[in-house]
Amino acid sequence: MNDILFRGGRAFLAADAFAEAVLVRDGRIAAVGPETDLLRRAAPGHETVDLGGGLLIPGVTDAHIHPVQAGLERARCDLSEVYGLPEYLERIISYAEANTTREWIDGGGWDMAAFPGGLPHRSQIDFLDRPAYLLQRDHHAAWVNTLALRRAGITRETPDPPDGRIERDPDGTPSGVLHEGAMDLVGLLAPSPTPGDMADALVEAQNHLFSLGVTGWQDAIVGSYAGWDDQLPVYLSAAASGRLRARVVGALWWDRTRGAEQIPELIERRALAEGLERFRATSVKIMQDGITENFTAAVIEPYCRCGGTGLSYVDPALLKGHVAELDRHGFQVHFHAIGERAVREALDSFEGTDPANRHHIAHLQIIEPSDVPRFAALGVTANLQPLWATHHAQMDELTIPFLGEERSAWQYPFADLLRSGARFCAGSDWPVSTADPFQGMHVGVNRTEPGGSVHVDYPTARTPFLPGQCLDLSTVLTAYTAGSAWINGDDEAGVISPGNRADLVVLDRDPFTEPAADIWRTRVAMTFVGGEEVYHR
């Protein structure tokens, strides 16, 4: 027997339940309870992990994340850890000088709020001697230079694609920002990563996630999108070889330029993962709209000042039939929905589907109040990205002015969803934002910017954003653990209970005993997957 006794602190079991100690045997939870009882049950020579007054929690499952893209961006021109045009240019110049043999300058992570009106310009990077393709932090736009526009043949006469927009100067000349589907006009021309690059990126991302207590995830786009190659082959290879140690569900990408004819292909892609222990391709991702800041989020009433109601990428008249057929074939459907119209279209499409398939809607920035109770009524899980629910530059300067006062108050209504009986899961959307779940938990509880954020010095960053929508720590921690494990169909994880897998995380403190304002300071000391240590700080 291989026994490990976790003692010297306490363990969060689930939903406000705690235990003094936890005994693990052969990769499974053997018992929870008083330390003296578990000492008697532990095998001679057992290993002891001293929690040092910290908290033991179930492994976090990130329910909406893009690890392969994150790993690739970390290896390219990564702008995600700096903020502002001077800092972006410094990082771009440094990358260009260090990578003289690369044909393109590619990467991303820039923030719309760092630019007047939310838009950079091609002229700011026209000093480069190569084409540049830099994805916006949210992956809904790309910043390109004139060389890249010329390489793609994009001119004043180039029409906008049906699912995107080419930003233009007053005279009609492309300005250097490509929104949504227009990204592919350049992105598909940039050099693709090799299979080896993608495999290394996955392992790099996995190691980073282990350091943050994330032991499983749902990859929210497994397919070709925004210039990224299909990640399915790298997951299949990593799972078969043992390099993939986390437990992962892949959400297969729904090609919004096609219809139901792609469902047999999705079934074939799902079958490729059958029999693998660490990876399953049982979900389908439908991106129903864009984002509010570039007016592609689908809203009911027009945006203030600029008009327009955004984009519904899949025709609502067809969407219900597509979702019904996916449901009949046993797929989980994972929606991206930001605007209140997109949320309503997603909910409408779930009418009559089987709740056992564990469908969910991610992001949920704006929900019209009458739609809030429909989550519980339909058995649809609310997939929260709590980190975004704060006063920050993008929210105050680019979002609220274009939504208006009434609709702005409908944003991220977490407490309303909870009171209505909705089930929660949670994720980060990394590399859109940090993968650190404790930053997200901090915002879920406080609705203020966590320390270390690029917006932490913003004037209203410490003013709670719609404080009536705050959650308690137990609820938000449960969303990241039990809720997200459930959404992944992993019923042996997410809760510290006898018989469950020992996917466990040792924290350097007990955030339940410290001020809520300090939740963001929580760090991971150790991470275990199936009782095996995969990270030690």
Side-chain angles (χ1 to χ4, degrees):
M1 290 187 295
N2 179 24
D3 284 11
I4 308 173
L5 178 63
F6 293 86
R7 55 160 300 281
R10 61 176 184 163
F12 175 81
L13 307 182
D16 286 326
F18 295 86
E20 184 181 14
V22 173
L23 179 65
V24 169
R25 176 168 295 156
D26 297 330
R28 297 270 171 179
I29 308 294
V32 298
E35 181 181 336
T36 52
D37 291 350
L38 300 195
L39 273 170
R40 288 194 292 269
R41 298 182 59 175
H46 65 269
E47 179 184 349
T48 297
V49 174
D50 187 349
L51 301 178
L55 185 69
L56 183 72
I57 65 170
V60 170
T61 298
D62 191 309
H64 187 105
I65 192 171
H66 309 280
V68 178
Q69 290 94 328
L72 288 170
E73 285 190 11
R74 285 162 69 91
R76 297 185 180 184
C77 185
D78 184 7
L79 306 179
S80 64
E81 296 181 358
V82 296
Y83 181 77
L85 180 59
E87 290 78 8
Y88 293 155
L89 295 180
E90 181 180 353
R91 185 65 62 91
I92 291 167
I93 291 168
S94 177
Y95 179 82
E97 290 176 347
N99 294 273
T100 56
T101 61
R102 291 190 66 89
E103 182 184 356
W104 286 62
I105 303 299
D106 53 358
W110 55 273
D111 194 318
M112 293 181 73
F115 299 92
L119 297 171
H121 197 269
R122 67 181 189 282
S123 61
Q124 294 160 327
I125 49 174
D126 272 347
F127 64 86
L128 293 167
D129 61 354
R130 286 162 276 173
Y133 179 76
L134 300 166
L135 284 171
Q136 180 244 359
R137 177 176 62 87
D138 290 346
H139 286 205
H140 288 271
W143 179 17
V144 301
N145 61 0
T146 299
L147 286 176
L149 292 168
R150 287 176 182 165
R151 184 75 64 94
I154 300 174
T155 67
R156 296 183 192 182
E157 287 71 39
T158 303
D160 290 341
D163 60 346
R165 186 174 79 250
I166 301 168
E167 199 68 44
R168 302 174 193 269
D169 290 336
D171 66 356
T173 303
S175 70
V177 175
L178 306 174
H179 298 286
E180 305 295 341
M183 293 187 291
D184 281 350
L185 300 175
V186 170
L188 294 178
L189 301 177
S192 296
T194 67
D197 292 337
M198 296 183 73
D200 291 344
L202 176 58
V203 172
E204 161 68 17
Q206 178 177 246
N207 290 338
H208 180 63
L209 292 170
F210 284 159
S211 78
L212 298 172
V214 177
T215 58
W217 62 80
Q218 184 160 147
D219 190 314
I221 297 179
V222 175
S224 300
Y225 168 73
W228 296 108
D229 289 343
D230 181 15
Q231 308 94 316
L232 183 59
V234 71
Y235 273 118
L236 297 175
S237 175
S241 69
R243 295 185 81 190
L244 184 64
R245 304 171 76 185
R247 287 173 171 83
V248 179
V249 167
L252 301 174
W253 177 242
W254 178 271
D255 184 344
R256 58 202 187 202
T257 67
R258 303 172 64 198
E261 74 277 5
Q262 65 189 290
I263 292 177
E265 299 167 22
L266 294 169
I267 294 171
E268 292 174 2
R269 283 164 64 76
R270 177 176 62 182
L272 294 174
E274 290 179 0
L276 294 175
E277 179 187 0
R278 303 289 171 121
F279 178 76
R280 294 176 295 116
T282 50
S283 187
V284 171
K285 166 67 174 296
I286 298 177
M287 185 178 289
Q288 186 58 10
D289 68 345
I291 59 174
T292 58
E293 293 80 16
N294 66 7
F295 317 120
T296 56
V299 295
I300 295 171
E301 298 296 330
Y303 287 98
C304 303
R305 303 185 189 177
C306 65
T309 57
L311 300 173
S312 292
Y313 291 136
V314 181
D315 184 344
L318 302 175
L319 183 63
K320 186 174 179 62
H322 298 334
V323 169
E325 187 168 354
L326 289 168
D327 180 72
R328 283 195 296 272
H329 285 287
F331 278 110
Q332 174 190 86
V333 177
H334 176 164
F335 267 104
H336 162 118
I338 293 281
E340 74 272 19
R341 189 178 85 235
V343 173
R344 179 170 292 176
E345 290 166 354
L347 289 168
D348 289 348
S349 77
F350 285 133
E351 293 279 0
T353 59
D354 185 354
N357 286 328
R358 307 187 185 189
H359 303 305
H360 52 128
I361 306 176
H363 307 325
L364 302 170
Q365 181 169 350
I366 314 168
I367 308 179
E368 201 280 328
S370 67
D371 285 323
V372 168
R374 298 181 67 198
F375 284 81
L378 294 170
V380 174
T381 297
N383 188 333
L384 312 181
Q385 283 64 62
L387 189 71
W388 306 340
T390 70
H391 282 291
H392 50 265
Q394 186 164 303
M395 174 63 74
D396 288 1
E397 299 172 17
L398 299 179
T399 301
I400 291 175
F402 292 100
L403 292 181
E405 183 177 354
E406 179 183 26
R407 189 163 45 194
S408 292
W410 300 346
Q411 293 187 85
Y412 306 113
F414 302 157
D416 288 348
L417 286 163
L418 181 67
R419 285 188 287 265
S420 74
R423 181 188 287 268
F424 286 162
C425 63
S428 66
D429 209 10
W430 186 53
V432 170
S433 45
T434 177
D436 184 350
F438 301 98
Q439 302 274 314
M441 291 181 209
H442 176 98
V443 177
V445 172
N446 296 283
R447 305 281 287 208
T448 59
E449 282 291 299
S453 162
V454 297
H455 296 292
V456 74
D457 294 324
Y458 186 70
T460 57
R462 292 181 174 85
T463 300
F465 177 69
L466 302 174
Q469 299 298 339
C470 291
L471 300 173
D472 64 88
L473 180 55
S474 178
T475 295
V476 73
L477 177 56
T478 299
Y480 275 94
T481 52
S484 293
W486 185 87
I487 212 67
N488 262 11
D490 190 349
D491 296 328
E492 297 183 343
V495 177
I496 297 178
S497 178
N500 278 358
R501 246 186 1 261
D503 295 351
L504 300 170
V505 179
V506 178
L507 304 182
D508 68 346
R509 68 197 68 209
D510 185 341
F512 287 93
T513 64
E514 299 193 357
D518 290 335
I519 293 171
W520 69 273
R521 297 182 184 276
T522 303
R523 299 290 182 269
V524 170
M526 303 176 73
T527 303
F528 295 80
V529 172
E532 179 183 357
E533 184 182 303
V534 294
Y535 171 76
H536 193 140
R537 191 173 66 175

